Amino acid sequence: MTDLATPEAPPSGKKLHLGWALVLISMAQLMVVLDASIANIALPFIGNDLNIDDANLTWIVTGYALAFGGLLLLGGRLGDLYGRRRVFMIGLIVFAVASLLGGFAQNEALLLASRGLQGLGAALASPAALALITTTFPAGPARNRAFAVYAAMSGAGAAVGLILGGWLTGLDPVLGLEGWRLTFLINVPIGLVAAFLAPRFLNESESHPGELDVPGAIAGTLGLLGLVYGFSRAGEAAHGWSDPWTIASLVAGVALLAAFAFIESRVKHPLLPVRVFNNRTRATSFLVMMVVPAAMFAMFYFLSLFIQLVVGYSPLHTGFAFLPFSLGIVLGAGVSSNLVNRIDPRFIAGVGTLMAAAALFGFSRLEVPHGTADLLALGNDSYLGADVSYWASIFPFIVLMSVGMGMVFVPLTLTAVHHLRPEDSGIGSGVLNTMQQVGGALGLAILSTVSLHFASGTTSDLTRDLIAQGKSPEEAGGLAFIGAFTEGATAAFLVGAALIAVGSAAIWLFLNVKHEELATDGPEGGVHVG
């Protein structure tokens, strides 16, 4: 057994300190993941300073998600072909430079371009980081602990982003820079230091020379961009599933991915080899890692809005309300990394998904008074859910879900990349990250649709009644939205619980790999897997 603090001699003969290697990889992954949420709280401040209207403001979030999700497969394969440490470093430098541009952006175009460039850097660095764990840490307890830390960073990043974003945007100007700019600039030293230290603590993986599948890369990247954009647009109240651009994006995405599959079956060096999916355990892991984050990301979205709009917390207070999620997922990841040495992944991840489903069901039971009389009684500083107890109605389910997520992410990350061929570990990591990104966009789109469906009737009735009571149409619409929001959000939580239950069923039925097999290394073929 190799301890994380013990230097190990890699094949090159160069001694590496595994503890510092894990710190570098985890720091980079946390930076990439939290950047998806850190800007959310800063959006109103960015809009005011740069005169960006509400319609384009969402592109600050969507642009990053599009570039990140669309380029992950390409980033993973580039690491396989040209060396994962090299691609990891390039991704970090690109991310840092893009963050610098965003932090000093003086107009909308430069800021949006910087977000797309950040997505590119993240798409290069993230799959390389996951693959570097596989190639740096030996199979068994050392790798399990490394994956536990990686999974904790991946899961806790969104919550950390909310807290950090709330704190930074609330700061007074520093050296003439508004607080929201610091949400970008904070990445610059982190990314550059991590890239500078990578050659010292990370061994370069073997390169696997081969031609880059350019037609496949174009078709696959554009196909994923179409899907992520379509799902993101479908989840917006202003557009929805019937919007022509939503339909066109989804149809184009599916058509391009069908062309991608055809190209991959014909070329000698495919971007995404079909053999990656031939293993049932791995295919199940990919599927579940699309479904579970779909519900988790939607939980963050609806619960953060509920806590702010209905309960009345400030942005920073809302961020701290999610702090237990970060702590719980670290706890769950730590427990599961120890259990996976003795218990089959199916039982650990199966129980974790059931815990998460139970937590979402708990959120679906949230209730607040939202009749016309309740809304008319609201003052400027009062909220419908002011009587909702955070400690009794929200905190227990945040803890339950976070611990459950930690118990899911570690074993499924292990089973998703276990026994991949050395030349496929980068693309395998890219597929896993892609499933999470596409799943998040799809989940938010589906659950937003559910929320709007259940809230729309109540919104119309409340608006009509409030206008009859003397409120202007604008006031009535705003109050009605708040009144109906809880009804829509709780319906979304219930459907999210059902989604995770489907993922749990897939785990119990199809994830048959034994814990003894996870302690072995090398490509599949010599060891039977599930």
Side-chain angles (χ1 to χ4, degrees), residues 305-350:
L305 285 178
F306 176 84
I307 291 174
Q308 289 184 82
L309 297 177
V310 180
V311 181
Y313 282 17
S314 68
L316 181 57
H317 196 178
T318 300
F320 277 107
F322 283 99
L323 182 59
F325 189 93
S326 301
L327 302 177
I329 203 166
V330 170
L331 174 63
V335 170
S336 61
S337 70
N338 289 318
L339 291 178
V340 81
N341 298 317
R342 302 184 297 275
I343 300 175
D344 293 348
R346 171 170 51 178
F347 299 106
I348 303 170

Side-chain angles (χ1 to χ4, degrees), residues 58-222:
T58 59
W59 277 100
I60 295 173
V61 176
T62 304
Y64 179 78
L66 277 175
F68 188 18
L71 295 168
L72 275 166
L73 291 182
L74 179 60
R77 179 49 87 194
L78 288 174
D80 288 335
L81 292 177
Y82 305 115
R84 295 174 195 113
R85 188 183 71 186
R86 179 181 294 113
V87 172
F88 177 71
M89 292 169 61
I90 292 172
L92 291 176
I93 292 171
V94 169
F95 196 93
V97 170
S99 299
L100 184 67
L101 293 175
F104 287 105
Q106 297 299 315
N107 56 62
E108 176 182 338
L110 182 56
L111 182 64
L112 294 181
S114 73
R115 288 295 279 172
L117 194 60
Q118 278 186 316
L120 168 62
L124 294 173
S126 191
L130 181 56
L132 280 168
I133 291 180
T134 305
T135 57
T136 301
F137 295 85
R143 185 179 296 173
N144 296 346
R145 287 194 295 271
F147 273 129
V149 175
Y150 178 89
M153 294 301 101
S154 299
V160 173
L162 290 174
I163 298 170
L164 194 58
W167 176 62
L168 290 174
T169 53
L171 293 176
D172 293 328
V174 178
L175 299 177
L177 298 172
E178 297 89 347
W180 68 262
R181 296 186 182 276
L182 301 179
T183 64
F184 292 91
L185 296 175
I186 193 173
N187 297 318
V188 178
I190 297 174
L192 293 179
V193 168
F196 176 77
L197 294 177
R200 180 181 178 89
F201 297 113
L202 296 174
N203 197 47
E204 179 61 282
S205 62
E206 291 183 12
S207 58
H208 300 277
E211 297 177 5
L212 179 62
D213 173 20
V214 176
I218 294 173
T221 298
L222 293 179

Side-chain angles (χ1 to χ4, degrees), residues 379-511:
N380 291 333
D381 297 319
S382 59
Y383 294 87
L384 282 176
D387 293 331
V388 172
S389 170
Y390 169 80
W391 296 107
S393 301
I394 298 175
F395 172 78
F397 301 117
I398 286 181
V399 173
L400 183 63
M401 185 164 189
S402 61
V403 174
M405 289 290 93
M407 293 177 65
V408 171
F409 286 156
V410 172
L412 289 187
T413 303
L414 279 166
T415 55
V417 300
H418 185 59
H419 281 314
L420 278 168
R421 297 183 182 185
E423 65 269 25
D424 291 337
S425 61
I427 188 62
S429 303
V431 172
L432 180 62
N433 281 281
T434 299
M435 290 297 181
Q436 293 174 315
Q437 289 297 310
V438 173
L442 175 59
L444 188 55
I446 292 174
L447 298 186
S448 292
T449 302
V450 170
S451 175
L452 290 171
H453 172 75
F454 280 90
S456 58
T458 304
T459 302
S460 300
D461 292 341
L462 288 173
T463 301
R464 184 181 61 251
D465 293 344
L466 289 167
I467 290 175
Q469 294 292 328
K471 294 290 185 181
S472 69
E474 291 77 13
E475 281 184 301
L479 287 171
F481 170 79
I482 295 173
F485 177 79
T486 300
E487 190 170 334
T490 51
F493 288 137
L494 189 59
V495 175
L499 277 177
I500 292 189
V502 169
S504 185
I507 289 172
W508 290 108
L509 290 172
F510 303 117
L511 197 73

